[in-house]
Amino acid sequence: MSKALDGVRILDFTHVQSGPTCTQLLAWLGADVIKVERPGCGDVTRQQLRDIPDVDSLYFTMLNHNKRSLTLDAKSEDGKRILEQLVASCDVLVENFAPGVLDRMGFTWERIRRLNPRMIVASVKGFGPGPYQDSKVYENIAQCAGGSASTTGLTMGRRSSRGLRSATAGPECTWRSASLRRSINATAPAVGRRSSRQCRTVS
């Protein structure tokens, strides 16, 4: 049976969590996702939270199912030429670089349109238009700006970011099970503060 995005090719310039979650969903829907990674180390999450030596971490694999992958030095002449070919042959480019990085690589919106007039560019950023639109954003900043950090930490003191990431859509959802929640609550710190590992439903 065909899938909704069969025949759609995605150029995946994402890394860590927010972007790879997006492109993995597109892959599950049938898209051909080509993930571009840095030479030498690839996506930083390949090595983060690794529990078995010399293999990709669970953190990386749970966010990068059904994708093809290549390493590419976008600063070299060969790398730029290959990247131009990929831009010309793909339908969608997804990136979650810090603001301005794609432009500094030489791939402004205008140039992408010249290479491929039908290209759709999707940028995953922490802030939309406004005073913070050029700011770099990571999980802890998003939690503080959005208010979720106010739900953890000391009641009358310092706050802390949540133990579970807000964008979680994978295996960590098992934290929602009622029995596990009860066991966590039973061992949580005394009244007056909440454990930063306490489960909260992601809406």
Side-chain angles (χ1 to χ4, degrees), residues 3-6 24-31:
K3 295 184 178 181
L5 297 181
D6 280 350
Q24 179 172 255
L25 290 172
L26 298 175
W28 284 345
L29 290 170

Side-chain angles (χ1 to χ4, degrees), residues 45-199:
T45 59
R46 284 184 181 272
Q47 301 174 46
Q48 288 182 341
L49 306 177
R50 180 186 281 166
D51 58 342
I52 302 173
D54 303 320
V55 299
D56 290 335
S57 69
L58 175 61
Y59 185 25
F60 174 82
T61 56
M62 77 177 192
L63 295 174
N64 290 282
H65 297 163
N66 301 341
K67 301 178 185 181
R68 296 192 285 161
S69 176
L70 62 90
T71 58
L72 181 70
D73 180 0
K75 294 180 181 178
S76 71
E77 291 306 313
D78 286 342
K80 289 177 182 177
R81 187 174 66 255
I82 293 169
L83 186 52
E84 286 180 355
Q85 294 171 356
L86 287 169
V87 169
S89 64
C90 290
D91 302 294
V92 181
L93 185 155
V94 185
E95 61 91 12
N96 67 337
F97 294 124
V101 168
L102 201 60
D103 289 354
R104 291 195 296 274
M105 289 170 59
F107 288 89
T108 61
W109 169 242
E110 291 74 21
R111 182 161 182 235
I112 291 170
R113 285 295 301 274
R114 284 199 301 272
L115 292 169
N116 185 349
R118 61 189 174 80
M119 172 67 82
I120 297 169
V121 175
S123 294
V124 182
K125 300 292 184 241
F127 294 107
Y132 304 113
Q133 65 186 16
D134 294 325
S135 300
K136 294 181 180 179
V137 180
Y138 213 65
E139 176 73 23
N140 54 347
I141 296 174
Q143 287 190 26
C144 291
S148 69
S150 67
T151 65
T152 61
L154 301 175
T155 301
M156 299 300 294
R158 186 175 178 182
R159 301 299 183 183
S160 62
S161 61
R162 297 163 48 170
L164 295 182
R165 296 305 178 210
S166 300
T168 295
E172 289 147 306
C173 289
T174 57
W175 281 82
R176 296 181 187 177
S177 79
S179 60
L180 184 54
R181 241 189 342 260
R182 282 194 297 272
S183 69
I184 292 172
N185 290 339
T187 58
V191 175
R193 59 180 174 173
R194 297 175 179 171
S195 167
S196 63
R197 296 188 64 194
Q198 203 166 340
C199 177

Side-chain angles (χ1 to χ4, degrees), residues 14-35:
T14 70
H15 56 286
V16 189
Q17 185 167 337
S18 60
T21 300
C22 168
T23 52
Q24 179 172 255
L25 290 172
L26 298 175
W28 284 345
L29 290 170
D32 177 16
V33 177
I34 304 170
K35 182 178 177 74

